[in-house]
């Protein structure tokens, strides 16, 4: 029942200990699997991970503001709600927005108060409860009585933890054997941890590292079998038909079967990168006509001509890569144990317009789907002093707190502020407590979810870059914004201007 998932979600959010979260999820999954419904198990895992199996269903916060009164008792099932989401996603054509809104209201009218809270947070992308992939994989292992290493390996190769969970809980350990590395089936990409600088990266990697230019493009995973090529995004969406240049470059390689990790990026004639959104535009269009062409740079190999390379050390995978891929299709790379040489490589990479470097252990395997310690990213951090314009009420473990802050840059022409986006990242428990009290004092309006405040509080924000955006009034948005500290030593008229923000676009 949906009520069981909603109750578990609330319990998980309220549990601070990792083991307590794992135990609660495992209890729910074991009960969910009793009926032998694989889809029900997979949907439950997706929801508790804060995701929909349908990915997006065309419902935003605007449709979730005015909801009907909750039902008195629980009647909704997991599979029933999942089917409703699929139906809502399929609504298209004239009047589709109104029809989707009606369908959402009908669904919520049948939900209890606790179920409405869960659904609203799930659909609004606010279901932050600490049920991350590692926690979920351990919970699946506990519920199915299968070693956690087997579950993680299957999830790594499948790139689909909900499917692995369903197999483990319904079919047992033998069912996980079907999850092998297969050309044509995308796997979760290996992710990187963060190092403060190149010297820190070298130390953490044992003194010697492979340094690669970190391009500000879009990560893609390329699969080839004969003349058939498939291209997938970081989130494992198939974008093959949108990236003909990637297909063409792959077919030019001598291998007949491969899985490669690569970066697709739009470059200017001088070789410097276009702003990220120029590259991103190619992924949002079904046809590439009238858009900037993309270049592809391959930086890792997972499989080649019947041979899996996942478990080989990085230096061996690089040797196979260098033997297959011409230099102009590979990212710049050096191997060094010298911090000065590493810094010079970082400086050259930044001067070329790229966002930083990746430092990789020569001996690390490819840990698909994991943020492994064998990869470290090093890039400069930009900061801005901005003004808080509003703040959203928290959910999950932040219930009762004012959490997500709306950020504004000063507009010297009008004397007002231009919104650039919002963030909840980087906030400590102490900071949440402080800002809840502070913004309650500055409150001028409250619609039940967003609290508008007097623009008096300055906050120092770290971010990775700025991109054009039609979502916000200033036409720009911060990438990966996170809170560093509140600046009580600065007044709002000392905050950065919208022009200073836009300067990061160049």
């Amino acid at each position: 029942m949906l009520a069981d998932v909603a109750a578990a979600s609330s319990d998980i959010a309220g549990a601070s200990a990792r083991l307590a979260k794992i135990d609660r999820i495992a209890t729910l999954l074991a009960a969910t699997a009793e009926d032998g419904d694989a889809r029900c198990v997979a949907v439950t895992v997706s929801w508790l991970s804060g995701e929909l199996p349908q990915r997006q269903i065309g419902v935003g916060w605007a449709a979730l503001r005015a909801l009907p009164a909750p039902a008195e008792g629980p009647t909704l099932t997991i599979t029933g709600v999942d089917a409703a989401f699929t139906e809502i996603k399929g609504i298209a054509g004239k009047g589709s927005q109104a029809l989707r809104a009606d369908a959402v209201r009908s669904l919520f009218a049948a939900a209890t108060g606790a179920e409405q809270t869960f659904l609203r947070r799930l659909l609004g992308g606010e279901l932050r409860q600490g049920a991350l992939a590692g926690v979920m994989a351990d919970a699946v292992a506990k519920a199915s009585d299968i070693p956690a290493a087997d579950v993680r390996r299957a999830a790594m190769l499948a790139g689909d933890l909900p499917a692995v969970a369903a197999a483990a809980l319904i079919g047992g350990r033998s069912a996980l054997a079907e999850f092998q590395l297969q050309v044509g089936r995308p796997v979760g990409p290996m992710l990187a941890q963060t190092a403060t600088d190149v010297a820190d990266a070298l130390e953490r990697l044992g003194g010697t590292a492979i340094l690669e230019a970190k391009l500000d493009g879009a990560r893609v995973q390329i699969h080839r079998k004969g003349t058939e090529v498939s291209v997938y995004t970081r989130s494992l969406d198939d974008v093959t038909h949108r990236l003909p240049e990637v297909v063409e470059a792959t077919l030019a390689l001598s291998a007949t079967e491969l899985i490669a990790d690569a970066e697709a990026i739009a470059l200017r004639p001088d070789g410097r990168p276009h702003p990220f959104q120029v590259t991103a535009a190619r992924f949002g269009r079904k046809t590439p006509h009238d858009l900037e062409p993309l270049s592809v740079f391959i930086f890792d190999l997972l499989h080649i001509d019947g041979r899996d390379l996942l478990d080989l050390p990085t230096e061996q995978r690089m040797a196979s890569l260098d033997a297959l891929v011409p230099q102009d299709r590979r990212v710049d790379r050096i191997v060094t144990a010298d911090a000065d040489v590493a810094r010079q490589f970082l400086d050259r990479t930044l001067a070329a317009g790229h966002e930083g470097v990746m430092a990789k252990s020569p001996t690390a395997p490819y840990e698909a789907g994991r943020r492994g310690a064998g990869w470290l990213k090093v890039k400069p951090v930009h900061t801005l002093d901005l003004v808080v314009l509003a703040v959203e009420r928290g959910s999950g473990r932040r219930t009762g707190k004012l959490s997500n802050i709306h950020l504004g840059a000063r507009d010297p022409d009008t004397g007002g502020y231009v919104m650039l986006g919002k963030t909840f990242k980087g906030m400590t428990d102490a900071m949440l407590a402080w800002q809840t009290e502070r913004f309650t004092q500055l409150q001028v309006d409250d619609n039940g979810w967003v609290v508008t405040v007097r623009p008096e509080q300055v906050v120092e924000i770290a971010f990775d870059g700025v991109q054009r955006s039609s979502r916000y009034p200033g036409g720009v948005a911060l990438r990966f914004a996170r809170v560093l500290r509140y600046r009580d030593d600065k007044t709002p008229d000392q905050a950065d201007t919208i022009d200073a923000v836009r300067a990061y676009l160049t």
Side-chain angles (χ1 to χ4, degrees), residues 117-402:
T117 298
F118 173 77
L119 292 174
R120 185 174 65 247
R121 291 171 179 168
L122 176 63
L123 293 175
E126 296 288 335
L127 198 66
R128 298 186 293 273
Q129 56 195 8
L132 303 177
V135 170
M136 189 62 71
D138 286 350
V140 171
K142 184 178 181 66
S144 60
D145 197 26
I146 295 174
D150 291 0
V151 174
R152 291 195 194 100
R153 177 76 177 185
M156 175 184 78
L157 297 177
D160 187 349
L161 180 56
V164 169
L169 284 156
I170 304 300
R173 189 172 186 178
S174 61
L176 296 187
E178 68 177 87
F179 297 104
Q180 301 293 326
L181 189 63
Q182 293 181 14
V183 177
R185 185 171 70 185
V187 300
M190 182 171 177
L191 304 176
Q193 298 180 18
T194 300
T196 55
D197 53 36
V198 289
D200 174 46
L202 287 174
E203 181 178 355
R204 288 166 59 182
L205 295 177
T208 299
I210 299 170
L211 298 182
E212 296 176 346
K214 190 177 190 308
L215 309 184
D216 192 16
R219 190 157 175 192
V220 293
Q221 189 177 117
I222 306 169
H223 291 241
R224 176 182 175 180
K225 191 166 189 176
T227 59
E228 295 295 321
V229 175
S230 300
V231 186
Y232 302 92
T233 64
R234 176 180 175 139
S235 55
L236 311 186
D237 295 314
D238 190 334
V239 290
T240 306
H241 298 297
R242 302 183 185 189
L243 307 178
E245 305 98 321
V246 177
V247 174
E248 181 181 356
T250 304
L251 290 174
L253 302 176
S254 59
T256 58
E257 190 175 271
L258 65 80
I259 302 175
D261 211 346
E263 196 87 4
I265 186 170
L267 298 176
R268 295 186 171 108
D270 63 359
R272 296 179 65 83
H274 280 287
F276 173 76
Q277 63 268 21
V278 176
T279 295
R282 285 292 302 276
F283 290 77
R285 290 272 292 272
K286 293 183 178 180
T287 57
H289 303 305
D290 302 324
L291 293 177
E292 288 290 334
L294 297 181
S295 298
V296 61
F297 296 91
I298 298 175
F299 59 82
D300 215 325
L301 280 182
L302 284 65
H303 177 93
I304 181 170
D305 290 336
R307 186 165 60 102
D308 290 347
L309 309 182
L310 281 172
D311 296 324
L312 295 181
T314 306
E315 57 188 1
Q316 290 187 32
R317 299 197 310 276
M318 295 301 99
S320 295
L321 174 67
D322 293 348
L324 174 69
V325 182
Q327 187 170 358
D328 63 352
R329 293 294 183 188
R330 307 195 303 259
V331 297
D332 290 340
R333 183 197 329 140
I334 65 169
V335 180
T336 186
D338 189 318
D340 289 334
V341 172
R343 276 189 285 268
Q344 292 169 11
F345 181 75
L346 173 61
D347 290 343
R348 289 198 304 273
T349 302
L350 294 173
H354 302 303
E355 64 174 355
V357 298
M358 294 291 297
K360 299 181 178 180
S361 166
T363 60
Y366 188 97
E367 299 179 81
R370 299 191 64 189
R371 195 171 295 280
W375 285 14
L376 302 173
K377 55 186 174 183
V378 182
K379 54 184 180 180
V381 176
H382 308 296
T383 64
L384 288 168
D385 291 327
L386 302 174
V387 176
V388 178
L389 306 180
V391 60
E392 297 175 4
R393 297 194 179 279
S395 60
R397 63 183 296 269
R398 297 187 178 192
T399 298
K401 301 290 196 302
L402 294 179

Side-chain angles (χ1 to χ4, degrees), residues 63-79:
L64 302 175
R65 287 174 181 166
L67 295 173
E72 293 185 2
T75 60
L76 294 173
T77 65
I78 296 169
T79 52

